[in-house]
């Protein structure tokens, strides 16, 4: 049996009660908060996650903007899943029986894939790689590329825009030259977004000026707008034609006339 004297000689290590309590309290608060944060992030729709990334950088994400810089590898498949789920709700609100109607059984997923992977794909993928060539021969003659087939959609009603584009380029000795197919790829990349025609041709002209640095760039677009032909006034014959003239095409009336007259022969 231990006596009081013996007990007194047993060393007792002092415990910092305040430190122990603080550590216990911190541990009890930190772990659940961390788990809750992960759970909250996991529960957010992917579109919200992407939107928050864009907003954190104070970037714009209008219908005709490219947001590929904010999309991580593999997320487009997840975006298709989310759009398909919401498209299914649209079909149900339109009172369409997608369970017994074999024609609309998988329509929501087909539409989602069409929007994300095809008709609006220019929003979600990066700009096509351009192979540039030096202007060794110092070409400075008018080049016309087209007609390039245009497939887009109006951002007002998401109705198709179908048409053609012609691109005129007057290079300088310092201009970069790009392969003919690249003009088509760049045009498709810009047009595969909800657009209005007036802004689309300006964006394409800006891009070509920046990429190849020519003396002049000219673009003419001629298109049918299904928002006029399919709905609204339902005018089948209406088209929209607009042009953008930059540099030498804007200043030199003879060059502009040559470009436009060559289009008339096609």
């Amino acid at each position: 049996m231990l006596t009081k004297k013996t007990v007194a000689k047993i060393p007792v290590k002092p415990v910092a009660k305040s430190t122990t309590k603080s550590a216990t309290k911190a541990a009890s608060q930190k772990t659940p908060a961390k788990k809750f944060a992960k759970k909250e992030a996991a529960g957010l729709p992917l579109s919200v996650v992407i939107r928050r990334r864009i907003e954190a950088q104070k970037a714009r994400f209008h219908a005709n903007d490219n947001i590929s810089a904010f999309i991580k590898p593999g997320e487009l498949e997840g975006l298709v899943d989310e759009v398909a789920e919401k498209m299914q709700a649209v079909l149900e609100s339109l009172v369409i029986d997608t369970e017994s109607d074999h024609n609309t059984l998988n329509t929501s997923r087909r539409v989602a894939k069409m929007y994300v992977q095809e008709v609006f794909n220019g929003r979600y993928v990066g700009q096509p790689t351009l192979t540039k060539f030096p202007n060794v021969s110092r070409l400075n003659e008018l080049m016309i590329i087209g007609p390039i087939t245009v497939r887009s959609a109006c951002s007002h009603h998401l109705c198709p825009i179908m048409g053609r584009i012609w691109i005129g380029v007057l290079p300088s000795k310092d201009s970069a030259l790009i392969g003919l197919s690249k003009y088509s790829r760049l045009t498709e990349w810009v047009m595969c977004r909800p657009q209005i025609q007036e802004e689309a041709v300006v964006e394409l002209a800006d891009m070509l000026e920046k990429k190849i640095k020519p003396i002049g760039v000219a673009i003419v677009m001629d298109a049918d707008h299904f928002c006029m032909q399919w709905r609204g006034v339902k005018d089948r014959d209406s088209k929209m034609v607009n042009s953008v003239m930059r540099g030498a095409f804007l200043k030199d009336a003879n060059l502009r006339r040559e470009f436009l007259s060559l289009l008339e022969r096609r």
Side-chain angles (χ1 to χ4, degrees):
M1 180 180 292
L2 296 174
T3 63
K4 288 184 180 179
K5 188 175 182 182
T6 306
V7 172
K9 289 182 179 180
I10 296 175
V12 178
K13 189 176 181 180
V15 177
K17 292 183 179 179
S18 58
T19 304
T20 305
K21 287 182 179 179
S22 300
T24 304
K25 186 177 180 181
S28 63
Q29 290 179 347
K30 188 176 181 181
T31 304
K34 189 175 181 181
K35 287 182 179 178
F36 178 77
K38 286 184 178 179
K39 184 179 179 181
E40 185 181 36
L44 288 175
L46 180 56
S47 60
V48 175
V49 173
I50 295 171
R51 180 187 294 259
R52 288 186 177 181
R53 289 178 198 152
I54 298 171
E55 290 173 340
Q57 297 297 319
K58 293 181 170 55
R60 206 181 77 164
F61 52 104
H62 289 183
N64 62 342
D65 288 329
N66 179 272
I67 59 170
S68 60
F70 303 97
I71 297 176
K72 296 180 180 179
E75 286 187 337
L76 282 186
E77 291 78 4
L79 205 56
V80 168
D81 292 338
E82 182 181 334
V83 174
E85 183 179 346
K86 292 179 178 178
M87 184 53 64
Q88 179 62 31
V90 170
L91 294 174
E92 290 173 3
S93 294
L94 291 172
V95 199
I96 295 176
D97 183 358
T98 59
E99 293 183 6
S100 60
D101 181 1
H102 61 281
N103 289 318
T104 58
L105 182 60
N106 293 309
T107 292
S108 60
R109 175 156 290 274
R110 285 191 292 267
V111 172
K113 290 174 68 176
M114 177 189 71
Y115 280 144
V116 176
Q117 298 176 358
E118 296 179 283
V119 295
F120 297 160
N121 192 241
R123 300 195 74 236
Y124 306 113
V125 299
Q127 186 181 114
T129 302
L130 297 182
T131 303
K132 296 182 182 180
F133 306 96
N135 190 358
V136 176
S137 301
R138 298 194 172 187
L139 301 173
N140 63 347
E141 301 296 332
L142 172 62
M143 299 187 300
I144 299 178
I145 302 94
I148 299 170
T149 301
V150 172
R151 303 173 189 86
S152 190
C154 84
S155 49
H156 297 150
H157 298 94
L158 302 186
C159 286
I161 298 173
M162 308 291 288
R164 301 175 298 173
I165 275 183
W166 290 265
I167 299 172
V169 176
L170 187 67
S172 72
K173 63 180 181 180
D174 299 319
S175 296
L177 302 178
I178 62 175
L180 291 178
S181 65
K182 305 307 180 188
Y183 290 97
S184 295
R185 293 187 186 280
L186 276 176
T187 299
E188 182 181 27
W189 185 67
V190 170
M191 294 296 166
C192 281
R193 310 168 195 180
Q195 289 277 14
I196 64 169
Q197 184 171 332
E198 305 92 306
E199 293 179 352
V201 291
V202 170
E203 184 176 351
L204 182 58
D206 290 343
M207 189 180 308
L208 290 171
E209 274 195 309
K210 182 179 179 181
K211 292 294 179 183
I212 60 182
K213 296 180 171 54
I215 297 173
V217 168
I219 296 176
V220 170
M221 180 172 172
D222 174 352
D224 294 308
H225 289 246
F226 282 52
C227 58
M228 286 188 65
Q229 298 179 0
W230 191 24
R231 56 159 301 281
V233 296
K234 297 181 181 178
D235 186 349
R236 294 185 307 167
D237 299 322
S238 290
K239 290 180 178 288
M240 182 174 182
V241 180
N242 63 335
S243 65
V244 174
M245 303 288 168
R246 299 283 177 81
F249 287 94
L250 185 61
K251 298 173 184 176
D252 189 338
N254 291 329
L255 177 64
R256 187 164 60 250
R257 275 194 295 269
E258 179 184 0
F259 170 66
L260 295 174
S261 66
L262 288 172
L263 296 193
E264 291 173 1
R265 299 176 189 176
R266 298 186 61 82

